[in-house]
């Protein structure tokens, strides 16, 4: 019994550093201000904001469904203006979707990037969401670096 | 069939949207026919008409659209028939001219030939114009720039999917 317990403890101890190694790549010039398992927040020295999160895909829907649901909510409910959209892949070759929007918040035109990936594990499915927001000029300046960071996700 | 379409599209940046639409037009084998401020008129091969207008929702929000299809088969048939008839008449007059001996007859036939030739040229021009209208559809797009403040509710105030309510521009600005 004691031997079994030791084996389990050893296995957990051996796996723990691997779990700890999973980190989210953050774009250049961004400072991580909050990081927990499955969530990372980073900001620039100005007004750029970068947020990576995961939500339970409890309905089990696929990427196409969520892509449409999000676009409908953003455009029809919130009045965002779509700028562009495209298919993307992460470092683990998972298919994702990137959409850019523009909206004026407190009189300042902002751009907003949303990238979503649907990941499926053995027991559950997750929706990984990456968001990047900034006033238009800063957004354009940081966009390439944000996209590069997103492409490194999932390594 | 002659296809003509008119769209009004709300975009974040009109110049960028117009540039991308013109690139899509050229990739479709089409060309810019006219531009006035943020309104452009493009011609696109009829076979690529639907592909091109499918690009518009990718550039912004299509707020109005008007697509017309006009059947010109009868018009084309009538013009072709008139042209054929006139060409046959011209051929007969040319034969007569070759056989005419009297000066008066020659002058009269030449006058008829001049009149017919002019009509034939006009009909050929109309046919070419009609063929071009069939081969190339017309797409008129008015791009309007507007980055509206987020509106609250049209059909519902929130998404029915809780996680979607947790994301978005307002959320990231509030929480970071």
């Amino acid at each position: 019994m004691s031997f079994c317990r030791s084996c389990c403890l050893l296995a957990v101890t051996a796996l723990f550093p691997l779990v700890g190694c999973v980190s989210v790549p953050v774009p250049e010039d961004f400072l991580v201000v909050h990081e927990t398992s499955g969530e990372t927040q980073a900001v620039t020295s100005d007004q750029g904001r970068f947020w990576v999160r995961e939500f339970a895909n409890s309905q089990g829907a696929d990427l196409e469904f969520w892509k449409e649901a999000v676009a409908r909510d953003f455009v029809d409910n919130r009045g965002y203006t779509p700028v562009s959209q495209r298919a993307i892949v992460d470092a683990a070759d998972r298919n994702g979707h990137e959409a850019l929007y523009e909206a004026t918040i407190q009189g300042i035109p902002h751009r907003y990037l949303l990238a979503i990936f649907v990941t499926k594990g053995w027991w559950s499915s997750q929706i990984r969401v990456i968001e990047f927001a900034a006033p238009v000029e800063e957004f354009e300046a940081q966009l390439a670096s944000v996209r590069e960071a997103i492409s490194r996700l999932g390594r | 069939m002659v296809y003509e379409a008119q769209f009004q599209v709300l975009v974040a940046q009109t110049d960028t949207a117009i540039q991308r639409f013109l690139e899509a037009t050229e990739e479709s084998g089409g060309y810019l026919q006219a531009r006035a401020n943020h309104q452009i008129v493009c011609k696109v091969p009829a076979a690529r008409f639907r592909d091109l207008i499918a690009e518009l929702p990718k550039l912004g929000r299509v707020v109005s659209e008007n697509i017309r299809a006009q059947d010109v088969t009868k018009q084309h048939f009538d013009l072709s028939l008139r042209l054929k008839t006139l060409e046959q008449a011209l051929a007969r007059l040319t034969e007569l001219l070759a056989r005419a001996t009297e000066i008066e007859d020659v002058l009269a036939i030449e006058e008829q030939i001049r009149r017919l030739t002019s009509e034939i040229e006009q009909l050929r021009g109309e046919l070419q114009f009609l063929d071009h209208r069939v081969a190339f559809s017309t797409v008129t797009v008015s791009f309007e720039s507007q980055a509206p403040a987020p509106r609250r509710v049209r059909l519902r105030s929130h998404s029915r999917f809780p996680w979607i309510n947790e994301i978005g521009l307002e959320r990231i600005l509030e929480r970071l």
Side-chain angles (χ1 to χ4, degrees):
Chain A
M1 187 67 177
S2 171
F3 176 74
C4 280
R5 211 177 274 166
S6 301
C7 285
C8 287
L9 191 62
L10 193 65
V12 169
T13 312
L15 286 171
F16 187 75
L18 292 177
V19 174
C21 282
V22 177
S23 64
V24 171
V26 168
E28 267 182 56
D29 300 331
F30 279 70
L31 175 72
V32 174
V33 292
H34 175 75
E35 191 166 30
T36 60
S37 175
E39 180 173 2
T40 300
Q41 295 178 345
V43 295
T44 61
S45 58
D46 198 359
Q47 296 182 70
R49 296 159 164 92
F50 180 78
W51 198 355
V52 181
R53 286 181 283 173
E54 285 191 345
F55 296 93
N57 186 11
S58 44
Q59 288 91 351
D62 61 13
L63 181 65
E64 283 300 311
F65 181 89
W66 290 128
K67 189 174 93 178
E68 290 296 323
V70 169
R72 282 187 188 283
D73 187 64
F74 282 1
V75 175
D76 295 343
N77 281 352
R78 306 193 202 185
Y80 293 0
T81 302
V83 175
S84 68
Q85 55 175 322
R86 64 183 189 132
I88 53 174
V89 288
D90 68 7
D93 267 344
R94 276 187 291 258
N95 292 320
H97 178 72
E98 177 201 277
L100 266 55
Y101 297 93
E102 184 165 315
T104 300
I105 304 286
Q106 294 178 338
I108 302 170
H110 279 73
R111 285 268 169 101
Y112 169 76
L113 175 149
L114 174 73
I116 52 176
F117 294 91
V118 174
T119 62
K120 288 187 179 169
W122 287 345
W123 296 286
S124 62
S125 174
Q126 302 285 321
I127 305 157
R128 173 172 271 181
V129 175
I130 301 99
E131 297 170 278
F132 165 52
V136 175
E137 198 174 324
E138 188 182 358
F139 184 95
E140 291 300 327
Q142 297 287 355
L143 182 59
S145 131
V146 169
R147 282 177 164 161
E148 196 275 333
I150 293 170
S151 72
R152 284 189 286 125
L153 274 170
R155 263 183 196 158
Chain B
M1 298 293 275
V2 172
Y3 291 99
E4 290 178 341
Q6 292 171 328
F7 295 89
Q8 192 180 8
V9 185
L10 209 59
V11 296
Q13 288 184 323
T14 48
D15 289 343
T16 309
I18 288 172
Q19 186 58 37
R20 287 175 55 197
F21 185 69
L22 289 178
E23 285 168 9
T25 302
E26 284 177 11
E27 282 167 16
S28 303
Y31 60 92
L32 173 69
Q33 188 184 44
R35 177 174 179 174
N37 296 322
H38 294 143
Q39 177 172 299
I40 60 172
V41 183
C42 288
K43 290 283 190 180
V44 64
R48 304 294 305 277
F49 174 67
R50 289 186 188 284
D51 295 338
L52 183 64
I53 62 179
E55 291 295 313
L56 287 170
K58 298 176 189 170
L59 301 177
R61 194 183 337 153
V62 178
V63 291
S64 78
E65 66 175 74
N66 179 16
I67 301 174
R68 290 188 306 276
Q70 184 189 356
D71 190 348
V72 292
T73 313
K74 186 177 181 306
Q75 192 181 350
H76 196 279
F77 177 79
D78 290 346
L79 281 174
S80 301
L81 191 63
R82 279 177 59 202
L83 180 62
K84 192 177 169 187
T85 308
L86 290 179
E87 283 173 341
Q88 285 170 346
L90 181 65
R92 282 196 299 274
L93 282 173
T94 309
E95 281 175 22
L96 281 177
L97 182 64
R99 281 186 271 140
T101 52
E102 299 296 323
I103 290 290
E104 283 180 5
D105 292 342
V106 169
L107 290 175
I109 292 169
E110 280 182 345
E111 176 55 30
Q112 289 290 327
I113 286 176
R114 265 195 296 276
R115 190 180 55 79
L116 279 184
T117 306
S118 168
E119 277 186 46
I120 285 170
E121 288 306 317
Q122 189 182 341
L123 279 179
R124 282 183 181 152
E126 284 179 31
L127 263 177
Q128 274 179 1
F129 179 67
L130 194 59
D131 285 341
H132 189 267
R133 284 183 68 207
V134 171
F136 282 82
S137 306
T138 308
V139 181
T140 304
V141 188
S142 294
F143 290 97
E144 289 182 18
S145 173
Q146 193 181 351
R151 287 191 313 270
R152 290 295 175 196
V153 198
R154 264 207 308 196
L155 299 174
R156 56 179 186 272
S157 59
H158 293 91
S159 169
R160 62 173 69 105
F161 305 108
W163 76 269
I164 292 179
N165 295 319
E166 294 298 314
I167 65 171
L169 190 50
E170 305 90 340
R171 306 287 177 275
I172 194 170
L173 294 183
E174 274 167 19
R175 297 185 192 176
L176 251 72

